[in-house]
Amino acid sequence: MLPATHIEIAAVVIACQGRILAVHNARWGSFTIPMTKRRRWQDPAVLSGVREEEWSITATRAVAEVLGRTLPKEELRKSLSQVRQYKQSDIDGIWKLYDIEIFQFKVKEEPPLAPGVIAEWLTPGEFQAREPMSPTARFLLKELAKGKKLAIAS
């Protein structure tokens, strides 16, 4: 089992016509890209067995929470990049090891959002220049830009 200070996250860049969907996270008090923790659970059939959610399922769940709809199983099969970062949490101040798998979901036109979701479509430059914005989301987008792994052109 992983220590409590090890967090696994799937983050998804939802891209449309040169813009990225920035979603408001009320707990953080800022906008970010959709992301969610990878689920782990004790397998009741195996005494010492721990199950881990597939990364693609975690990423699909992050998108579904924002768009309020299902996706085909093959839609988010492969991540764009992996980022490992040891940093102090802005929420609780505890130092944690973050393993983040970054995925991309491209859409041709802006999809409707799930009820209650507050979001805005931003260019990469606006994502870096606007506030309040999650430092983690900015960091992840910069990492993708460095490696030229993000394709959001219209």
Side-chain angles (χ1 to χ4, degrees):
M1 191 112 197
L2 294 175
T5 56
H6 184 206
I7 311 295
E8 293 181 316
I9 298 169
V12 184
V13 177
I14 301 177
C16 179
Q17 301 175 9
R19 295 178 298 155
I20 299 166
L21 187 63
V23 180
H24 187 258
N25 183 315
R27 184 168 174 238
W28 297 351
S30 62
F31 284 79
T32 186
I33 57 177
M35 57 180 80
T36 193
K37 289 181 186 174
R38 185 178 186 202
R39 291 180 176 163
R40 299 174 159 279
W41 65 94
Q42 178 68 45
D43 186 338
V46 181
L47 205 51
S48 62
V50 175
R51 297 277 180 133
E52 297 176 337
E53 184 175 49
E54 290 180 39
W55 281 107
S56 61
I57 299 297
T58 308
T60 301
R61 198 163 37 80
V63 172
E65 288 170 2
V66 172
L67 301 184
R69 66 180 172 99
T70 62
L71 300 176
K73 282 186 176 185
E74 64 279 353
E75 190 70 48
L76 295 170
R77 278 287 163 224
K78 188 174 179 212
S79 71
L80 293 175
S81 186
Q82 301 171 326
V83 174
R84 177 169 264 205
Q85 185 183 33
Y86 186 68
K87 68 177 269 257
Q88 191 172 19
S89 168
D90 293 335
I91 300 289
D92 59 20
I94 297 171
W95 283 87
K96 300 175 184 179
L97 176 61
Y98 293 90
D99 279 318
I100 305 171
E101 289 281 332
I102 311 168
F103 294 79
Q104 182 171 3
F105 180 61
K106 290 195 250 182
V107 293
K108 293 182 195 271
E109 55 190 47
E110 293 179 14
L113 303 175
V117 172
I118 299 169
E120 182 178 13
W121 291 93
L122 301 173
T123 66
E126 289 171 332
F127 215 102
Q128 297 299 330
R130 299 261 183 111
E131 293 295 347
M133 197 63 65
S134 158
T136 301
R138 284 188 173 144
F139 171 77
L140 295 176
L141 291 174
K142 283 181 183 176
E143 288 297 304
L144 290 173
K146 270 197 271 186
K148 298 184 176 159
K149 295 181 179 183
L150 187 61
I152 64 162
S154 50

